[in-house]
Every structure is written in structure tokens, then in C-alpha cells.
Amino acid sequence: MVSSRISLIILLAAFVSTTSVGQTLVSISYKGQRSQEALAQEYGFLIQNGVEMWKVTYTTPDVFNQLDTASGLLILPVREETTIYPTLIYQHGTVDGPQDVPSNLQGGYQLALVFGGLGYATLAPDFLGAGTSRGFHPYVHADSEASAAVDMLRAVRGYAPQIDLLLNDQLFVTGYSQGGHASMALHRALELELADEINLTAASHMSGPYSISGVMRELMVSEEPYNFLAYLPNTYLSYNYVYGFYDDLEQFFKPTYTNAIRNFYEGNIGLSNLNNFLISNLTNEYGAPIARYMLQDSIVTILEDADPNHPVIAALEANDTYEWAPQQPTRIFYCTADDQVKYRNSIVADSVMQA
């Protein structure tokens, strides 16, 4: 069963283009397989089947509405008997760089493997600006997190009949950390904009920074030590890339930190290296890794005042993902000891959605 499907897909993949099967599918390439026994040994007895892994590339608009080629990992359950599978979209957490992504069997793809092993046809988008996609990754940018996932789903659904992949009408959405923000953004888009096209069954969002303009902004200007400082410049670079606030990094960050941030933006160092640099320098100068001390005083004032008319604050608010009311079953998971994304994001999101 496994080998016959592999042979069929490899044969068909040679003929796939944007003008053939599925208007948004560009290519599909085999990345390997895992047996049920191997997955169960690593992830537990609930694993029901083995899986095949495929890199999918597909067309989708970038943040400037120009057509781009994005990528993601498709994980297909493998069973001896013919089975109709539900679909699940898993959005991954923050990664170290643009190639640390699921389609390269990195970037948190293990959770996608687990979902495949549980019997879901699982899609794990790489996001824009990562994998095959061009440009800088628009980190925690809600609209593109949603659109990249929707277009991967369209591509896979359009291609499924060509490989005898049987999918039922169930669709589940989940994600962790940045992926929790992304899955919430996707969930919102599916319910509020795409309900006539795509039916969502249920969603589960895990430890996401849903309150960018509230909880996360307050953390960045607090006196609280924070060991994941690189998330702040990553977010700034993302929103400045999309919205274009400033021409120079020194308009936002103190000069001590701009060279390292620029090196990250240009792809010369990874996010973890940037984070280590920021922690070391802030600790040496201020005694603790406190995010506000890498910012220009004028920026601290802007963030503290939170004037919604200021472009920076408007961008933060535009990427909050919780101010709406889900109609499909929804669970939000968090843990109070989370030292990367404050659990109050989940409390705020739940309270607003319930209201």
C-alpha cells in the first residue's frame, strides 16, 4: 500500500505545475516515512498508523499581494485498509531562521508527525518568508499566517483525488506558540471570511501571543527580565517590513543593538544567536535582560502611551487575533509557567471571546 502510493505520487509529481492539477499546486516531493511502531515508540501508544511525509510547494500572495511560491509539510497516514481521513492544519512555533521549517523536517514538525500518526491528513505550512518563499518572514503577522495556510489547504485538496487520498469534510486547526497566534488567525479567517468555502469542525490554540497590543506590548516595556528578547526585534522587523514605519533601525533600537539585529534581518545569524547577544549585552549593562532598555526612549514612550493613532500601535492592534466570537468548538490551552508567551494572552482571549 505504501509503495504503490509513493510510486503514483512520484510519477504524477513530475507533471505537476501551476497550470495542471490544482491551480495553486507547484510541486510535491517525497520526504520519507515513519512506521507505526517507530512513531509509537517515540510518541506513545495512542499512535494508530505510520505516515508518509511530503514537501508541498504552492502559490500564494505575499504581504504585498504579489504571487509567491510557499512551502509546507504534508503528512499522510498510512493504513492497509482504505480509509477516509479528516484534515488537520498545524501551525508551528517560532523558529531559528527561514530554513528551520517543517518541510525541511525541522521547525517543530514533530507535532505534525504526531497528528499524522493519530490519523489526520496533516498540513504544516512553513509560513511566508520561510522555506521556498521569498522575502523576510512576517513574524506574527496574522493575515499572512492565515492566507498561507488556506492556500496550502486549497492546493492539497485540489491534488488529493490524483493520489487517491480520501478526505472527509472534517477540518481541525491547531498551533503552538507563534503557531497558536497563527492558528487563531486562521480560525478567524475561516469563520468570518471563508465559511462559504471551507467548513471548520473545531479548533485548539496553544500558548499563543494573541494579545500583541496588550499583554505582549506591556511585557516589552515592563521592568521584568525576559529571556526571549529576540522576539521583540523579530516582531519589529516583521511589522516594519509589512507596514514601513522607519527607514533606519536606530530610530527604534539603541545603537548597541542594531548591528546584531541587522545581521539577523539579513540572514547572517539565527534568532537564537541574536537572543544570546541581546541577553549578554543587556545583562552586562543593566544587570538583567530587560527588553525596554534596548529601545530608544521615544519608542518606549510610544509603547507606554499606546496611542491607537500611532502607526506602530495600530500595527500591533491589527495583529491581535482574539476580538471576535468563534462559533465552532474552540479550546485554548496554556500553562502558567510559560516563560516565552505570557499565559495572560490566553486569559484575555478567553474572556473577550466568552463576552
Side-chain angles (χ1 to χ4, degrees):
M1 188 76 173
V2 176
S3 60
S4 62
R5 175 184 281 173
I6 292 172
S7 298
L8 178 60
I9 296 183
I10 290 174
L11 177 63
L12 287 170
F15 299 99
V16 171
S17 72
T18 56
T19 58
S20 58
V21 182
Q23 289 183 348
T24 60
L25 187 70
V26 175
S27 67
I28 182 167
S29 57
Y30 181 60
K31 300 290 288 187
Q33 64 187 59
R34 300 284 182 86
S35 68
Q36 186 272 338
E37 293 78 11
L39 289 176
Q41 184 174 10
E42 190 166 0
Y43 300 114
F45 68 93
L46 293 177
I47 297 295
Q48 300 174 15
N49 48 258
V51 299
E52 299 167 0
M53 298 173 287
W54 300 88
K55 179 176 181 176
V56 174
T57 64
Y58 59 99
T59 57
T60 189
D62 65 15
V63 294
F64 310 112
N65 206 33
Q66 300 298 309
L67 203 61
D68 194 5
T69 299
S71 53
L73 183 66
L74 171 64
I75 296 181
L76 301 179
V78 175
R79 296 179 182 171
E80 290 300 322
E81 69 279 7
T82 299
T83 305
I84 302 176
Y85 297 104
T87 304
L88 182 143
I89 298 176
Y90 166 70
Q91 311 267 60
H92 67 79
T94 304
V95 297
D96 196 51
Q99 296 309 312
D100 182 20
V101 291
S103 70
N104 290 333
L105 304 187
Q106 299 181 53
Y109 84 102
Q110 294 90 343
L111 271 178
L113 270 184
V114 171
F115 290 123
L118 293 174
Y120 296 92
T122 302
L123 285 64
D126 291 339
F127 298 142
L128 292 184
T132 63
S133 177
R134 62 175 179 264
F136 186 75
H137 167 49
Y139 182 62
V140 289
H141 178 249
D143 286 349
S144 64
E145 288 172 333
S147 63
V150 167
D151 284 341
M152 183 177 178
L153 176 65
R154 289 167 171 154
V156 169
R157 281 185 169 178
Y159 192 55
Q162 306 300 314
I163 54 173
D164 296 325
L165 173 62
L166 302 178
L167 301 174
N168 63 28
D169 61 358
Q170 290 184 309
L171 173 65
F172 299 88
V173 168
T174 190
Y176 178 73
S177 193
Q178 179 196 356
H181 180 272
S183 65
M184 188 83 86
L186 171 60
H187 183 180
R188 179 177 63 185
L190 292 174
E191 288 208 21
L192 301 186
E193 301 169 21
L194 299 168
D196 291 341
E197 176 190 355
I198 299 171
N199 294 319
L200 177 68
T201 304
S204 176
H205 313 296
M206 300 182 284
S207 296
Y210 318 113
S211 178
I212 298 285
S213 73
V215 175
M216 298 309 292
R217 175 189 57 80
E218 291 166 3
L219 174 63
M220 292 304 114
V221 294
S222 74
E223 295 285 347
E224 181 179 346
Y226 185 56
N227 287 315
F228 299 90
L229 296 163
Y231 291 176
L232 172 54
N234 201 9
T235 303
Y236 165 76
L237 291 169
S238 164
Y239 294 170
N240 197 56
Y241 177 71
V242 175
Y243 305 109
F245 313 125
Y246 299 113
D247 298 324
D248 193 286
L249 281 172
E250 290 192 9
Q251 293 174 270
F252 202 91
F253 297 98
K254 292 177 180 175
T256 303
Y257 308 100
T258 54
N259 282 342
I261 294 170
R262 187 174 292 107
N263 276 328
F264 169 71
Y265 179 74
E266 294 174 351
N268 299 321
I269 62 173
L271 193 69
S272 57
N273 287 334
L274 174 60
N275 198 61
N276 291 338
F277 170 85
L278 297 174
I279 288 175
S280 176
N281 278 267
L282 284 164
T283 301
N284 288 339
E285 189 168 358
Y286 299 102
I290 299 173
R292 65 179 287 145
Y293 294 134
M294 76 173 86
L295 301 174
Q296 295 285 6
D297 292 344
S298 59
I299 299 300
V300 172
T301 299
I302 290 167
L303 294 176
E304 287 180 333
D305 291 347
D307 179 357
N309 294 315
H310 193 282
V312 170
I313 302 302
L316 300 182
E317 292 181 347
N319 290 285
D320 291 338
T321 56
Y322 64 90
E323 293 183 329
W324 59 290
Q327 300 303 302
Q328 298 306 318
T330 303
R331 290 185 175 178
I332 301 175
F333 289 91
Y334 67 91
C335 58
T336 55
D338 192 332
D339 58 352
Q340 297 190 38
V341 177
K342 295 298 181 181
Y343 75 92
R344 283 190 53 245
N345 282 275
S346 297
I347 300 299
V348 168
D350 175 72
S351 65
V352 171
M353 288 177 159
Q354 295 284 3

